[in-house]
C-alpha cells in the first residue's frame, strides 16, 4: 500500500512458530485435499509430484506448507487495515520441540497466530 506521497514502504515480518503434530495422517490428508483442489495452481504432473512429497514426508513439514496461506500472516496484526501482503515465504522444518526460550516467552499467551507462500 502506498502513502499519500506515492512512496511505497515495506516491512518484513519474521515469525518463528513451533507446532506439535498430533495426527500426521490427518495433516497429510488435509494437505492432499488442498493439492487436489481445482483452485490449486498445479497441472496433473505437479499435483502428483506434490502429493508424493507430502505422503513421503513423515515429519508433516511438507503437508503443513500446503495448509498455511499468506493472508494468515495478517491475523498477527490486529486492528490494522492499511497493510497488504506483497510477498510471503514460509519454511517448515522438523524440530526437537519448543526451546527453553519459547517456554519462557508468554507475552502473547492466548493469541491464536499462524503465518506464508507456496514456493515449491
Amino acid at each position: 500500500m502506498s502513502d499519500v506521497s506515492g512512496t511505497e514502504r515495506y516491512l518484513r515480518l519474521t515469525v518463528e512458530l513451533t507446532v506439535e503434530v498430533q495426527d500426521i495422517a490427518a495433516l497429510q490428508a488435509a494437505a492432499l485435499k488442498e493439492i487436489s483442489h481445482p483452485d490449486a495452481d498445479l497441472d496433473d504432473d505437479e499435483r502428483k509430484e506434490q502429493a508424493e512429497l507430502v505422503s513421503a514426508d513423515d515429519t508433516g513439514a511438507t503437508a503443513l506448507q500446503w495448509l498455511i496461506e499468506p493472508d494468515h500472516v495478517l491475523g498477527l496484526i490486529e486492528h490494522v487495515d492499511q497493510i497488504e501482503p506483497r510477498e510471503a515465504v514460509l519454511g517448515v522444518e522438523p524440530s526437537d520441540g519448543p526451546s527453553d526460550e519459547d517456554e519462557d516467552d508468554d507475552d502473547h499467551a492466548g493469541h491464536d497466530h499462524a503465518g506464508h507462500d507456496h514456493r515449491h
Side-chain angles (χ1 to χ4, degrees), residues 11-32:
L11 301 172
R12 183 176 310 272
L13 304 176
T14 302
V15 178
E16 183 171 326
L17 172 67
T18 301
V19 298
E20 178 183 353
V21 179
Q22 298 177 340
D23 187 340
I24 189 71
L27 179 63
Q28 289 173 327
L32 293 172

Side-chain angles (χ1 to χ4, degrees), residues 10-77:
Y10 298 96
L11 301 172
R12 183 176 310 272
L13 304 176
T14 302
V15 178
E16 183 171 326
L17 172 67
T18 301
V19 298
E20 178 183 353
V21 179
Q22 298 177 340
D23 187 340
I24 189 71
L27 179 63
Q28 289 173 327
L32 293 172
K33 183 177 178 183
E34 187 71 22
I35 290 167
S36 66
H37 194 278
D39 290 343
D41 191 21
L42 301 170
D43 64 30
D44 289 340
D45 289 339
E46 290 170 327
R47 283 182 207 279
K48 182 180 178 188
E49 178 185 7
Q50 290 302 314
E52 288 173 356
L53 289 171
V54 165
S55 298
D57 181 3
D58 62 358
T59 69
T62 306
L64 187 58
Q65 283 186 300
W66 276 99
L67 301 173
I68 303 174
E69 296 295 331
D71 288 346
H72 293 171
V73 175
L74 291 181
L76 298 173
I77 305 168

